[in-house]
Amino acid sequence: MEVSQQAQSTTGWKILEEDALHWEKWGEQYALYDALSGETHLLPEFSARVLQQLSVHPRTADVLARALCEGSDETCEQAFVEHVSQLLVQLQAAGLTEKVQS
Amino acid sequence: MMLAGLTGDECRQRLANRGLLLKTGPFTVRVRSDIEGFTRLLRQFYGQFPVMETPAVADFHVRVLRPGGIRRWWRPQVQFLLDGQSPFQPFQLSHAFPLFEWGLNWGIAMQAHQYLMLHSAAVERAGKVLILPAWPGCGKSTLCAALVSRGWRLFSDEFGLVRIDDGQLVPLPRPTPLKNKSIDVIRDFAPDATIGPAFHGTRKGTVAHLQTPDASAAQAHIPALPGWLVFPRYRAGATLQLKPIDKPQAFLKLANNSFNYRLLGLQGFQAVTRLVRQCDRYILSYSDLDEAIDTLNQLADA
C-alpha cells in the first residue's frame, strides 16, 4: 500500500545537533560519536542514512521514508514508513533524535 | 646518567632526601624511600634507566615508606603515596617493590590523559608496534614477555600509550610482572631472562618481575607507528588460531579496553578510529607460546 497524504503524521523529527556528530564509515557500518552526550554508537547503514537525511532539515517519518525511497524502483509502502517511525523512536531513545511539531 | 651509574650510597641518599628523579618512558618520577629492600630492587630493575639531576619537573611524586605507629615493629608495612595521597591500603613491608609498580601504574592510568591509554602490552618489530589489548587473565603479560625474549622491543607490558596528535605509540618499558604459573613458564621459555624475587601472597597471587632488556630501555625515547592489533586469548590446550576481525568489532573492543576513552571525548574517538584504520586486526587464541610467537613473527614479516 502506498502512503497516502492523510496518513502523514504532523510529528516531525530532527537530530539534536548536527555539528556534534562525528562519523567513521566502515563498509556498511558506521561509528558515530555524539559530542553532546559523549556517547559512541555503532550503527548500520540504514540508521546512518536516516540521521543524515535529518541533518538536511527536520522531517516527518512519512517525508523521510519517501526521501529514502527516492531513486529506488520500489514504491514506498506503509510498512516501510512504520519501520522508519520505529527506528526514529529507537534513535530518540539513544539520544540522537528528538520530536518537533511541524 | 643511568641509575646504575650511582653508587648504592648515592642512590640511598637521593631516595632518602630530595628524591631520585627516575626517567621511565615519557615520564619523570620523583621517588623517595628509606626502605633498603626496595632500594636494592629499584637499582636492579631500573639500573639501565636515566636519572635526572635536580631541579627537574617530575610528573609523579612517589613515596614508598613505612607507616608509623606500632606497625613499625609489629608486622611492618609499607605505604605508597602519590602526590602526598595514599590510594591503597598498606602492603606487608617485603612487598614494597610490587606496591611501587602497581602504584605507579595507577598514577599513570589516573593522570596521563595527554595519551589515549590502552590496557595492553605493546612490542615493536621492524618499526611497527604490535598492540596486545587484554584484560587480566588473557595471557597478555606472558605473551609479551615471550615476544620480548625473542627479540621484539618492549614498549610496555601494561599500557598502550597513543599520542593524540600523530597516533604514534610511546614506549614505557618497565619490569614485567609475571604472575603465578607464568613465572615458571617464562623461566623455562627464556632461561637467560633475569627474573627477580617472587612475592607471595599479593592480591594477584605470586608475582615476580622480569627485567627490561637493555636494548628496550635504551630506546625508550623512540616512538613508533602501530601496525597490528591482536587481542590475545590464552586457553589451556587451545589450538592456535589467528582470526581476522572487522573494523567495527575491533573499534568496540578497543574503546572498551581503553582507560580513558570516554574521558578524552572526541579526541578518544578519533584516536581509536585512527588506530583501527592503521592496523591489521586479529583475535589470537593460543596455548603454546612457540606457536604463538611463530605466528606473530610471520605476521610482522609478511
Side-chain angles (χ1 to χ4, degrees), chain B residues 136-197:
Chain B
C138 292
K140 164 176 68 73
S141 294
T142 313
L143 184 57
C144 175
L147 285 162
V148 169
S149 76
R150 293 293 187 270
W152 290 67
R153 171 160 71 113
L154 176 66
F155 263 52
S156 174
D157 158 75
E158 186 70 11
F159 290 100
L161 294 181
V162 183
R163 276 201 311 226
I164 299 291
D165 57 347
D166 64 4
Q168 297 217 60
L169 271 285
V170 174
L172 180 59
R174 290 175 40 214
T176 300
L178 302 170
K179 296 164 203 89
N180 304 313
K181 289 180 182 172
S182 72
I183 299 168
D184 284 337
V185 168
I186 295 300
R187 278 194 212 283
D188 292 341
F189 188 81
D192 294 336
T194 302
I195 298 176

Side-chain angles (χ1 to χ4, degrees), chain A residues 61-79:
Chain A
D62 302 333
V63 173
L64 182 57
R66 287 175 190 281
L68 290 164
C69 287
E70 275 179 17
S72 163
D73 293 337
E74 297 176 34
T75 56
C76 196
E77 297 187 1
Q78 183 61 31

Side-chain angles (χ1 to χ4, degrees), chain A residues 22-24 26 29 31-33 35 37-40 42, chain B residues 246-248 251-252 261-262 265-266 269-270 273 276-277:
Chain A
H22 301 267
W23 299 88
E24 179 79 7
W26 294 307
Q29 285 206 283
L32 172 62
Y33 178 74
S37 65
E39 297 292 335
T40 305
L42 270 189
Chain B
D246 63 20
K247 289 176 180 174
F251 172 83
L252 272 186
Y261 171 79
R262 283 187 67 87
L266 178 59
F269 177 75
Q270 291 169 334
T273 51
V276 169
R277 278 198 303 271

Side-chain angles (χ1 to χ4, degrees), chain A residues 3-32:
Chain A
V3 180
S4 66
Q5 291 295 317
Q6 289 82 3
Q8 289 185 10
S9 163
T10 57
T11 302
W13 292 87
K14 67 171 189 174
I15 56 174
L16 289 179
E17 181 61 64
E18 183 189 354
D19 291 343
L21 301 183
H22 301 267
W23 299 88
E24 179 79 7
K25 183 179 190 300
W26 294 307
E28 294 184 347
Q29 285 206 283
Y30 288 73
L32 172 62

Side-chain angles (χ1 to χ4, degrees), chain B residues 99 136 141 197 211 215 239 261 271 289:
Chain B
L99 177 61
S141 294
Q211 179 99 39
T239 304
Y261 171 79
L289 275 179

